[in-house]
Amino acid sequence: MGTKATVRAEGVRGKASALAEAADADLFLLAMPDLIFVFDEQSRFQTIYAQNEALLAAPARVLRGRRIADFFPAVVVQAFDERIAIARAGNVPPPMEYDVDLGDGLRRFEGRFSHVGDGRVLVACRDMTEVRAEEARRREFTARLTEAQKLESLGVLAGGIAHDFNNLLTTIRGNAAAAAAALGDQELVVAALDDIERASARAAELCRQMLVYGGRAPKGSFPIALASVVEETRLLLEASLGKQVSFKVLSKEGPTILGDAAELRQLTMNLVTNASEALDEQGGTVTVETGERAFSEEELATMYRSDETAPGSFATLVVRDDGPGMDAEVRRRIFEPFFSTKFAGRGLGLTAALGIIRRHHGAIHVESSPKDGTTVLVAIPANADRPTPMEAPPPTTDPGHSQGLVVLVVDDEPQVRRAAFRLLRQEGHEAIEAADGFEAERILRERADIDMVLLDLTMPVRSGVETFQALRAEEPSLPVVFSSGYAEEELRSRAPAEKTLNYLPKPYSRDELRAVLAWALTARRLRRRAT
């Protein structure tokens, strides 16, 4: 009797222990953030563990005893059935992802399947909505970063092409000028060579603007007039517009602003490019206008602006097109990074423009409506100083007044050296060629009569700056003229500012060469007086 009672007691305790363990398992499963489903041998919902029932396609009491097909579309049902069959066969099926509409939008879940015996299959479903959204944001960020790097590489490429192209233009322009002078009265040939030189000058201006647009100038704020920025960028703007686009510039003298010239050129390029692309294939007119205007606080409050923007006098830049215009929704999004209504557009123009304007403590306003075109107004605070007239270029020096100079031409490009050699000889000077910095240093040690060095900035064996320093060590007061296809601003950032240092941009004209020769002649007189 006692033994039977003991057995019964142990059985009760065993069942109680099993129930307790089952209860603990239930509590554990309910505590998990995942949705846990157990499907019976007929693939019906048998047991449901959900910490948050709001994530279920239907309440748990409704799901129990029902099949997947009662709540999900056929494509999801098929994927579920295939994986349940694989799990029942003792294998591990691949996870699957599916969407559930919970009333506040689609949520993405990932399901993992495992066989738990007696034909039953456990499916653990995890809410992956935020994970996938974050992955999408990362992919978008990576894509934007890649696009930005491509644009940066494009700027470097533009600068490199412009530099190399300027070397070629120096050869073309210099030899055309030398040939025209040598031919004398052969009118037809001289006219043709003059056309070559004029075309080279125009190509050189485009290269200079490519260098600026490629970011080869250092950042800094200096007094500058918006009208001069537009004029300096005009050739590049005209070259970048389609043939079906008419381009007009209405420049009025306004106040100077404190600005970065390279960024303001980029701003102008972006606004004009955006306006041109808005015209599509139908064509139209893009108008750029500069001027001056006072803005009140109430007017500035309606514009996108910097926190530092205050009421007062502003220099203005207006870019207007007569294209199809924009509706309110597009206008609302135009400053979003990488937003574009163009199929193949980057949508970077106005985003970059807004950044530049804010860095200049300015403001921007866009007016547009369907079929009425678009007007973009940029306002940048005026500087206290008015623009001063540009200095007149140095007067052309008569060859007879600057004869007798001995010029050392240092350049790794033979054609460039020969073109400079011919021009210098025609101007009545002696020219000595050096292919690199080491040869130049050797010649300077051997010749005490050198009056000027015409020095290339970028050379492979020894850079122009390194050569300059070596020549300075030999002859501290020797006039040196850097000549480069890169922008003058880059030279100024790499070489020291000295009275005996000058700059001659490639490709240069005969008159530009004469100007630095006159400068060197003056320097020679001063050196001789000092001794």
Side-chain angles (χ1 to χ4, degrees), residues 393-473:
T396 301
T397 307
D398 182 86
H401 293 162
S402 59
Q403 288 181 0
L405 290 174
V406 179
V407 181
L408 176 59
V409 181
V410 188
D411 201 300
D412 61 300
E413 294 283 348
Q415 302 93 328
V416 174
R417 293 199 305 272
R418 287 197 294 270
F421 179 88
R422 293 180 185 123
L423 285 174
L424 288 166
R425 292 290 297 272
Q426 285 183 342
E427 292 297 311
H429 307 292
E430 180 182 354
I432 307 169
E433 297 182 46
D436 58 57
F438 294 103
E439 185 179 2
E441 186 178 6
R442 178 184 59 76
I443 292 173
L444 184 63
R445 287 173 178 168
E446 295 173 354
R447 301 267 315 238
D449 58 342
I450 292 176
D451 298 304
M452 185 187 94
V453 178
L454 185 59
L455 177 60
D456 184 27
L457 179 61
T458 54
M459 295 184 292
V461 176
R462 196 184 205 181
S463 74
V465 173
E466 292 171 338
T467 301
F468 169 77
Q469 293 168 344
L471 297 180
R472 271 284 184 268

Side-chain angles (χ1 to χ4, degrees), residues 57-111:
R61 57 181 174 76
V62 176
L63 291 174
R64 288 189 185 93
R66 305 280 292 275
R67 298 179 184 278
I68 287 286
D70 296 333
F71 303 96
F72 290 92
V75 63
V76 176
V77 173
Q78 180 181 352
F80 256 90
D81 288 344
E82 288 174 354
R83 285 164 174 78
I84 286 176
I86 293 172
R88 283 188 179 132
N91 298 313
V92 179
M96 68 165 286
E97 293 196 5
Y98 62 97
D99 294 323
V100 180
D101 188 353
L102 299 176
D104 58 349
L106 291 177
R107 299 197 71 81
R108 171 58 63 97
F109 289 86
E110 180 187 73

Side-chain angles (χ1 to χ4, degrees), residues 29 32 35-41 46 80 82-96 110-125:
L29 292 173
M32 292 182 65
L35 303 176
I36 308 295
F37 305 102
V38 177
F39 292 89
D40 63 18
E41 65 278 5
Q46 183 182 63
F80 256 90
E82 288 174 354
R83 285 164 174 78
I84 286 176
I86 293 172
R88 283 188 179 132
N91 298 313
V92 179
M96 68 165 286
E110 180 187 73
R112 294 180 178 271
F113 300 72
S114 60
H115 187 223
V116 292
D118 299 329
R120 295 179 304 154
V121 175
L122 183 146
V123 183
C125 297

Side-chain angles (χ1 to χ4, degrees), residues 186-477:
Q186 297 186 36
E187 186 174 337
L188 182 61
V189 180
V190 171
L193 291 171
D194 285 343
D195 284 344
I196 292 174
E197 188 172 1
R198 279 192 292 271
S200 298
R202 180 178 172 85
E205 175 62 16
L206 287 173
C207 285
R208 186 187 70 80
Q209 293 183 20
M210 283 175 65
L211 288 169
V212 171
Y213 190 64
R216 301 308 299 263
K219 305 294 182 187
S221 293
F222 304 95
I224 189 171
L226 286 179
S228 66
V229 170
V230 172
E231 284 303 318
E232 289 171 5
T233 320
R234 187 169 186 164
L235 277 175
L236 189 57
L237 292 171
E238 291 175 343
S240 65
L241 300 179
K243 293 183 179 180
Q244 75 280 12
V245 177
S246 174
F247 184 57
K248 295 181 180 179
V249 176
L250 305 174
S251 294
K252 298 176 184 177
E253 182 178 327
T256 59
I257 61 174
L258 284 177
D260 182 275
E263 286 199 334
L264 292 171
R265 292 186 188 105
Q266 180 188 348
L267 168 67
T268 307
M269 275 291 298
N270 287 355
L271 294 180
V272 172
T273 301
N274 259 39
S276 172
E277 291 178 346
L279 298 175
D280 297 323
E281 297 180 357
Q282 66 189 28
T285 302
V286 174
T287 304
V288 177
E289 184 175 352
T290 59
E292 179 180 8
R293 179 178 163 184
F295 286 90
S296 65
E297 175 60 33
E298 290 75 17
E299 291 173 309
L300 291 173
T302 65
M303 306 169 72
Y304 290 89
R305 60 172 174 170
S306 162
D307 293 337
E308 293 82 7
T309 308
S313 179
F314 289 77
T316 58
L317 171 68
V318 178
V319 178
R320 185 182 301 109
D321 69 73
D322 54 5
M326 299 178 285
D327 58 26
E329 176 61 20
V330 173
R331 283 202 314 274
R332 185 181 64 81
R333 300 188 60 195
I334 54 176
F335 293 110
E336 291 181 11
F338 294 86
F339 171 73
S340 176
T341 58
K342 302 179 288 293
F343 175 74
R346 293 190 304 271
L348 290 171
L350 288 179
T351 305
L354 183 59
I356 293 171
I357 291 163
R358 283 176 171 165
R359 283 193 290 277
H360 287 79
H361 309 310
I364 183 171
H365 180 67
V366 179
E367 286 187 9
S368 185
S369 58
K371 300 182 180 180
D372 287 336
T374 300
T375 299
V376 179
L377 166 66
V378 173
I380 298 178
N383 190 25
D385 300 326
R386 286 278 167 176
T388 55
M390 292 182 62
E391 294 183 8
T396 301
T397 307
D398 182 86
H401 293 162
S402 59
Q403 288 181 0
L405 290 174
V406 179
V407 181
L408 176 59
V409 181
V410 188
D411 201 300
D412 61 300
E413 294 283 348
Q415 302 93 328
V416 174
R417 293 199 305 272
R418 287 197 294 270
F421 179 88
R422 293 180 185 123
L423 285 174
L424 288 166
R425 292 290 297 272
Q426 285 183 342
E427 292 297 311
H429 307 292
E430 180 182 354
I432 307 169
E433 297 182 46
D436 58 57
F438 294 103
E439 185 179 2
E441 186 178 6
R442 178 184 59 76
I443 292 173
L444 184 63
R445 287 173 178 168
E446 295 173 354
R447 301 267 315 238
D449 58 342
I450 292 176
D451 298 304
M452 185 187 94
V453 178
L454 185 59
L455 177 60
D456 184 27
L457 179 61
T458 54
M459 295 184 292
V461 176
R462 196 184 205 181
S463 74
V465 173
E466 292 171 338
T467 301
F468 169 77
Q469 293 168 344
L471 297 180
R472 271 284 184 268
E474 293 292 329
E475 181 56 67
S477 61

